[in-house]
Amino acid sequence: MSQQEFHGRIGRTYDESEPWWPEPTRASETAPNVLMVVLDDVGFGQLGCYGGLADTPNIDRLAENGLQYSNFHTTALCSPTRSCLLTGRNHHSNAMGGITEISTGFPGYNGHVPHENGFLSEVLGQQGYSTFAVGKWHLAPAEATSGAGPYDGWPLGRGFERYYGFLGGDTDQYTPSLVYDNHQVDPPATAAEGYHLTEDLAQRAIEFIGDAKQVDPEKPFFTYFCPGACHAPHQVPREWADKYAGEFDMGWDAARERILERQIELGVVPEGTELSPQNPDVRRWDTLSDDEQRLYARMMEVFAGFLEHTDAQVGKLLDYLEELGELENTLVVMVSDNGASAEGGPTGSVDENRFFNNVPESLEDNLEAMDELGGPNYFNHYPWGWTWAGNTPFQRWKRETHRGGASDPMVVSWPAGIDAAGEIRSQFVHAIDVVPTVLELLGVAAPDEIRGIAQSPIEGTSFAYTFDDPDAPERHTSQYFEMFAYRAVYHDGWRAVHPWPLGDEITAEDLSTTSLADSDWELYHVAEDFSEAHDVAADHPEKLLELVQLWWTEAGKYDVLPLDGRSVQRFVEERPEPGRPREQYVYYPGGQYVPENAAVKVLNRSHSITADVTIPEGGAEGTLLAHGSRSGGYSLYVEDDRLHYAYNYVGVEEYDVVAETRVPEGEVSLRMEFEATGEADPAEGKGAPGTVRLYYDDERVGEGTIPRTLPITMGLTAGLSCGRDALSTVTAAYRERVPFAFTGDIARVTVDVSGDAFVHPEAEMDRIMAQE
C-alpha cells in the first residue's frame, strides 16, 4: 500500500497515530451465488426433462424449480462454446475457432483467449466473489499444459482462485490426469477402491464452497462445475448401466420416435414438430444383425447409466447447497457444450485408441468385451446411431452447425430471483448470452478494464427479459455459426446452413453470394419448422441470399475469416512449441508427468532410451520411463533383476523384450534402441515395425522384434512419466503394482529421436478432434 492510499494518520509514535485498514471489496448482502454446470457431449434429447430416455431426476428438479430453454445454441464444439460461456464473446473473437490442438496463425484461430476478453471469474472476483473451477478446462493452449507453462491460460490465470480437474479435452474416469491449482496430483483412490472422477469432482466442489462459507458465510461464490461426462470414455460402475438392461433393445429409430413424443408432451418442442429426415450415415436398426443389436444396445445402456450417475453427482452438489441454506439464492445455469458426439463411428468402439490408429475392431472381440463396458479396462463410446437419437428431433451432430450440433439443453434456476418455475422459454439464446445475463442479474456492469487491460465489448445479449414474460419478443435476433467452414446463420426465425465435409476444397461458387442455385446452402424456416426437417431454399431464394450476405457480414466482424475447411494441413500447421525442437529429451524422476502434446514423439522412427541409474546392493525394480496407457504405449522397466521393454499395441497385444542377464549393481546405463525396419502404413493401422536391442552400458544383453507399433498416437489420455508409470499403466506386467516406482536411483533418462519421423496428419487430426 502506498502512503497516498493510507487514510489514517502516522505520527512519531503509536499514541500520536491513527490506524486505518483498507476495506475489502464485498458483494451486496443479497448477491446470489452463481453455479454454472457444463455437461459434455449431451444432446438436446438426452436429459429426462428434454424427453430423454435416461433418468436425470436432479436436473429435472432444477427445471421444475426454474426455466427450460428450447432454443439455446452453442458453437457445436466444446472449447469454443466454453470460451463463449465464460467471456460473453463469440468463439472467433476468443481466438477459439476450433480447439487449441488445431490452432492456426490467424486472430480467430490461434487458441489464445485474449486477456481483453475477461472471464466471468475475473469480473466476479473483482466484485467480492469466491471463484472456483472444477472439472474439464480445455481452454489453455495445448502446448502450455505441462509443467513448463506458461500458466496465464490455466484457471488460476483467468480469475479462478481454486481449481481441481483436468486441463485437456477428456480423461479416463478411473485414472484421470488431475491438476490441483497449478500442479499435477494423483487420483486419491483407485478403481478397485471405488474411485470415479465425477464423484471426486462433486466432492471437491463441495469442499471448495464449504471452505469459504465456514469462514465468511456471507461471501457469495461463482463455481464453474464441469464434469467430463458424458464425453467418452463412457465409464460408470456396472450397477448404473445394468439398471437400463433391455431399455434400448428397440433401437435408435424407435428411440427417436419415443423421444419426440415425450418432447411434445413436455412442451420442449412445439406441437407438430417432425423428425428430421433419415441420416444417410446411420444404418436402420432393423438391418443390423442380432449380435450388432445386442452390442449396440449395451453401449447405450452404459451411456444412460453414465448420464444418470452424472446427474446424481450434480444432485449431491445441489443437496449440499440446500443444507447450507444457499440453494434458494443460487443462480444455477446448466448447459451442454455441444450436441451428442458421433466420435464412436458407425459401429461404436471399446477403445477409441484403436479407432484413432485405424486399427479395425471386430464384432467378435467387442462382444467379448461387452460385459466389461463402462469399467476401467475399456475406453468405450457408442455408435453414431445413438448420437443421432440423442439429438432428436434434429439432424446431424457435434462439430456440425445443423441444430443437432448446435442446439442444446439449458436450464436456469434461481428461486429467490425468478418467480416463474417449471416453464419453457423459446426465445433464441446463444452461449455468449450467459455472461451478460449473469451480470445484469447481479447488477454488475461489464468492467472497462481487468488487471490494467482494457476490455473489449460484450457481444452477447442478456436473456433476463425472458424470465417474467414467456412471450417477450426475442432480443438476440441474429447469430452466425462456423466450424471447419461448416456454416450457419440465424435471423428472425430463419436459419441458413452450409454443410462442409472435412477436407473438401472450397470453390469460388461456394463463396459467392450470387450463385446460390449452385451452392450447398440450405434454408429452414425454424419459426415454423423447429427440427430443420424441410429445406426451403428453392422456395425462398431472396431470403436465402439475405441470410448468406448476413453471414459474410458477421464473419468479417468477428474474425471468422479466413474460412478453413482443411483437416490434414490444419493439423500440421506450424504453431508454437513448448520448447525449441531438439533431438534429445532428458527426463528426471520425481516430477510431473508430461502431457502427450508436450512429450517426445517416438512413433515410426528409430530412437533410443538411456537411463543412467544406480542399482543398490541387492538389486532394484520399477519403471524407468513409461509413455502411454493401457490403450497403447511403451515402458522401459526393471523386474526380476532384468531390464524389460514392453510395447502395448492399442491394448490388443503386448510385445516384451527381456535382457538375458541380471542388471549389475552400482552405476550403469540401461539402454533400449529401437531400429525401424519397415515402413509405416497408418491407413491400415500399422506403425513402423522394428528391432529392439537392450544394453547394459555398451554390452548388448537382449534383442527382440516388435512387428506392430502404433502408427498415429499413444492415446487420448497418454502421458510420459519418469521413475514410475503415473497414469493408466502401459503393461499388464505390473498393473497390480501401480505406479511401480523405481527403487534404485535415476540420474536421468534421455530419449534420442534423431531418426526421421513419419507423420500421418489426417489420422492424427481425427484423434485430436475426438478429444473435444
Side-chain angles (χ1 to χ4, degrees), residues 580-715:
R580 293 185 178 90
R582 55 196 190 275
E583 295 184 345
Q584 287 191 341
Y585 293 71
V586 181
Y587 298 103
Y588 302 94
Q592 300 184 9
Y593 63 84
V594 182
E596 179 66 8
N597 289 310
V600 60
K601 309 297 188 231
V602 302
L603 298 185
N604 302 311
R605 71 195 315 170
S606 296
H607 61 276
S608 68
I609 304 172
T610 303
D612 294 317
V613 304
T614 300
I615 305 296
E617 185 178 348
E621 68 173 8
T623 307
L624 301 170
L625 193 75
H627 188 179
S629 69
R630 66 171 177 269
S631 296
Y634 62 85
S635 177
L636 186 66
Y637 65 98
V638 176
E639 186 179 41
D640 297 330
D641 295 320
R642 283 170 168 76
L643 183 63
H644 293 245
Y645 178 76
Y647 197 94
N648 180 339
Y649 178 71
V650 294
V652 172
E653 197 164 7
E654 279 196 20
Y655 306 101
D656 298 288
V657 181
V658 184
E660 299 168 356
T661 60
R662 297 165 62 92
V663 175
E665 296 176 357
E667 294 185 2
V668 61
S669 290
L670 307 180
R671 188 167 79 256
M672 183 284 300
E673 293 184 355
F674 177 88
E675 179 187 358
T677 57
E679 295 293 326
D681 188 357
E684 296 297 323
K686 298 175 182 178
T691 298
V692 168
R693 299 181 181 91
L694 303 179
Y695 294 85
Y696 300 158
D697 292 326
D698 293 325
E699 178 187 358
R700 185 187 299 182
V701 294
E703 184 173 322
T705 300
I706 309 294
R708 297 196 294 177
T709 65
L710 299 166
I712 300 164
T713 176
M714 294 290 180

Side-chain angles (χ1 to χ4, degrees), residues 245-251 285 293-294 297-298 301 386:
E247 292 296 312
F248 300 100
D249 290 352
M250 75 296 208
W285 185 260
Q293 290 184 357
R294 187 160 57 94
R298 180 57 180 176
E301 292 167 11
W386 290 118

Side-chain angles (χ1 to χ4, degrees), residues 709-730:
T709 65
L710 299 166
I712 300 164
T713 176
M714 294 290 180
L716 301 181
T717 57
L720 181 147
S721 53
C722 181
R724 64 185 187 130
D725 198 339
L727 297 173
S728 169
T729 55
V730 172

